[in-house]
Amino acid sequence: MLRSEQAFNNPPARSLFYALGLTDEEMKRPLIGVASAYSEIVPGHIHLDKVTEAVKAGIRLAGATPVMFPVIGVCDGIAMGHIGMKYSLASRELIADSIETMAMSHCFDGLVLVPNCDKIIPGMLMGAARINIPSIIVSGGPMEAGKYEGRDVSLTTVFEAVGANKAGKMTDAQLDSVVKSACPGCGSCSGMFTANSMNCLCEAIGMALPGNGTALAVSADRIRLAKEAGMKAVALVKNNIKPRDILTHKAFENALRVDMALGCSSNSVLHLLAIAYEAGVRIDLNIINKISMETPNLCRLSPAGDNHISDLELAGGVPAVIKELIKLGIIHKDIITVSGKTVAENVETAENRDTDIIRPADNPHSKTGGIAILFGNLAPEGAVVKRSAVAENMLRYTGKARVFDSEEDAIASIYAGDIKSGDVVVIRYEGPKGGPGMREMLSPTSALAGMGLDSSVALITDGRFSGATRGAAIGHISPEAAEGGMIALVREGDLIKINIPDYEITLLVDDTELEKRRLELPAFEPKIKSGWLNRYSKMVTSASRGAVINQPV
């Protein structure tokens, strides 16, 4: 029996469905919830009303009844650099909770998830995995790259331009031109930042149709894809194919391999861990390094290179990348996806149309993947770096610690010219608990890049980084400072050794001195003492476990 029949056969509930204008015929059909992140504040969401209508059209074409409901979403670019960013990662839990609440309360038979942008995508997937009813995701698609002085630009260009302006390398007029050029319209910001990383990984993990990660927001392809997703949702209900049938350990391995090949955002690790938790799949951080060592990096898109998601789309998209990895025998190609086909069947006709954008498997940018997990006395539970966006000379690096207990203090010091070549900027008490909310550090990393210091200064934090970050930016230091992690014991002038090829990060201070410092460490004082962020800070787990709520240790 369909879940919706419980509601349709209940006279009081049926009376309320009549109040919505539903007909008897509509109430005989499967009821498909359409979770839409449409809003008028997020550029990645401003067009989702049109995508949502296309989804609903597809559902009706397949003989079911669609009902749309809204989901919140934070624009990270607008929230960056102030208290708003504390809410961004934490909102992922609210989104997952809202999916669970709406689907379970209203007896939906299936779901179509219509997100775009970081946190909204994984939040919706977490909710779908938790309740485990037939579900498919179709995003709003990427923004086109902007143009400035004949070259492609994006939001990260603006952040770096601020640093260049502060350093006297760019005039106020030039900065204003970049600001007006970088984001030409709707869609998720145009590089391989977190939103587009997750949209691409939705394909790789089997929860989205081919094209989800790269078909442009403004394209007719995106509208057709949305209609197809609506039709597939009905097929998933009829065949009783649920998220946990798709989100297996093998599917997560596929996602991690595509992650490495694409050079996705470091945030993808945080989100994949959280989705896996909700799906009942255990992902150990050590397996990520094993996969990284076995998987070549085939793409260097912005911020690691000059190309954008639109270029990846023209080159063949995620299917072409998967097909290259299949040649190496490192993809689980026979597992099911929301298309009703296997991974191999999905990419059968894919073609790599531009080997400069998608390197062939036998001629990669590097033999190892774009993400690395570092361990050592400074991060015994791990830390994450986007290795493909790190300059060669910074892969092995030892520098002097410059210690800050907040992002704001670090930014002020960078802009004041206090940070010099050879430094390691340490930003702590910005983790899931300490922030709270594990803010992204795009402003300080972009300031360093804009001032020409990204190839001579490293930055480490128990917070996290935007997918738009480049340079030796190492985040997710675990345990975090607020939990008494080693990063809380770092002092000004300490030497920190970074060895990315060997997956190591070490504080070069002897154990006796560290034990002395631990005894002198003051008790952590929460930064937010009211509201739901205070509640979140008391319940959130370590970044090494995905920074989820109530995960058992």
Side-chain angles (χ1 to χ4, degrees), residues 80-97:
M80 195 75 64
H82 58 86
I83 193 172
M85 182 48 71
K86 294 179 184 289
Y87 287 85
S88 179
L89 179 64
S91 73
R92 191 183 65 180
E93 303 298 324
L94 296 183
I95 292 165
D97 291 348

Side-chain angles (χ1 to χ4, degrees), residues 135-137 206-209 232 236 246 336-341:
S135 304
I136 186 171
I137 193 165
M207 286 298 294
L209 298 175
K232 289 296 182 185
L236 290 169
I246 295 168
I336 195 68
T337 70
V338 289
S339 70
K341 300 178 181 179

Side-chain angles (χ1 to χ4, degrees), residues 119 161 247 253 290 327 346 407 439 462 481 495 539:
K119 263 72 67 189
L247 295 172
E253 288 183 8
K290 179 179 183 295
K327 294 176 184 177
N346 279 343
E407 178 188 11
R439 286 194 288 181
D462 54 7
L495 291 180
M539 301 170 67

Side-chain angles (χ1 to χ4, degrees), residues 19 47 54 96 194 208 245 337 401 508:
H47 65 303
T194 307
D245 299 324
T337 70
L508 299 177

Side-chain angles (χ1 to χ4, degrees), residues 197-526:
S197 293
M198 293 309 301
N199 280 332
C200 289
L201 295 183
C202 285
E203 289 187 50
I205 210 167
M207 286 298 294
L209 298 175
N212 180 74
T214 57
L216 289 175
V218 295
S219 68
D221 286 341
R222 179 58 55 179
I223 298 301
R224 283 193 294 271
L225 187 70
K227 291 178 181 177
E228 291 167 6
M231 290 186 280
K232 289 296 182 185
V234 182
L236 290 169
V237 170
K238 290 179 178 178
N239 294 313
N240 199 30
I241 298 174
K242 301 174 182 177
R244 292 193 183 195
D245 299 324
I246 295 168
L247 295 172
T248 62
H249 200 282
K250 288 182 178 180
F252 282 97
E253 288 183 8
N254 281 354
L256 285 166
R257 291 196 185 278
V258 173
D259 190 329
M260 300 301 169
L262 287 172
C264 289
S265 163
S266 57
N267 283 320
S268 62
V269 173
L270 200 67
H271 296 326
L272 288 173
L273 288 172
I275 297 164
Y277 167 65
E278 296 290 358
V281 175
R282 178 170 173 76
I283 302 293
D284 188 277
L285 283 177
N286 288 291
I287 198 176
I288 296 176
N289 280 342
K290 179 179 183 295
I291 288 173
S292 182
M293 285 186 269
E294 298 170 349
T295 308
N297 178 222
L298 305 182
C299 302
R300 290 281 170 93
L301 303 172
S302 176
D306 295 327
N307 298 304
H308 293 78
I309 301 297
S310 55
D311 299 300
L312 179 60
E313 164 73 355
L314 293 173
V318 175
V321 174
I322 293 174
K323 198 164 188 178
E324 291 290 348
L325 297 179
I326 286 176
K327 294 176 184 177
L328 298 176
I330 58 175
I331 287 288
H332 299 291
K333 61 182 182 179
D334 296 324
I335 58 177
I336 195 68
T337 70
V338 289
S339 70
K341 300 178 181 179
T342 65
V343 172
E345 290 170 336
N346 279 343
V347 305
E348 189 174 1
T349 61
E351 179 185 356
N352 185 351
R353 297 189 289 267
D354 190 336
T355 55
D356 289 330
I357 304 299
I358 305 171
R359 289 281 189 92
D362 59 0
N363 182 34
H365 288 285
S366 66
K367 293 182 179 180
T368 52
I371 298 287
I373 310 297
L374 309 186
F375 295 94
N377 70 342
L378 192 51
E381 293 181 8
V384 181
V385 62
K386 187 171 181 175
R387 171 168 47 190
S388 59
V390 179
E392 186 71 26
N393 67 296
M394 296 296 289
L395 292 173
R396 288 186 171 88
Y397 176 84
T398 300
K400 182 178 64 174
R402 304 297 309 280
V403 184
F404 304 93
D405 287 346
S406 73
E407 178 188 11
E408 289 85 355
D409 290 346
I411 293 171
S413 186
I414 293 168
Y415 284 147
D418 296 336
I419 304 302
K420 310 295 183 184
S421 294
D423 287 343
V424 177
V425 176
V426 178
I427 305 178
R428 61 192 181 190
Y429 294 102
E430 291 285 5
K433 177 184 178 71
M438 204 179 181
R439 286 194 288 181
E440 288 185 340
M441 303 289 163
L442 181 56
S443 293
T445 56
S446 297
L448 291 171
M451 298 173 79
L453 294 171
D454 56 307
S455 60
S456 61
V457 171
L459 193 157
I460 70 172
T461 181
D462 54 7
R464 60 196 178 90
F465 294 109
S466 164
T469 292
R470 62 186 172 96
I474 300 165
H476 309 199
I477 297 282
S478 299
E480 62 175 294
E483 294 282 8
M486 189 71 75
I487 191 171
L489 306 183
V490 180
R491 292 186 179 175
E492 194 81 6
D494 286 348
L495 291 180
I496 295 174
K497 182 180 179 181
I498 298 166
N499 186 342
I500 295 173
D502 292 331
Y503 307 98
E504 295 175 350
I505 183 166
T506 309
L507 176 61
L508 299 177
V509 176
D510 68 69
D511 292 342
T512 302
E513 171 62 20
L514 290 174
E515 188 56 36
K516 177 185 174 185
R517 293 181 188 180
R518 183 168 296 284
L519 293 173
E520 298 170 351
L521 191 65
F524 169 69
E525 182 69 24

Side-chain angles (χ1 to χ4, degrees), residues 124-184:
M124 286 195 183
L125 280 177
M126 288 164 65
R130 183 187 301 170
I131 61 176
N132 201 34
I133 65 172
S135 304
I136 186 171
I137 193 165
V138 56
S139 79
M143 184 185 293
E144 294 182 289
K147 292 285 186 182
Y148 174 71
E149 294 186 345
R151 64 186 179 95
D152 287 349
V153 293
S154 65
L155 183 64
T156 188
T157 314
V158 181
F159 278 92
E160 293 183 7
V162 173
N165 177 260
K166 293 283 187 180
K169 298 179 179 181
M170 178 178 282
T171 66
D172 291 347
Q174 289 172 319
L175 174 59
D176 187 59
S177 293
V178 172
V179 168
K180 291 176 179 175
S181 303
C183 300

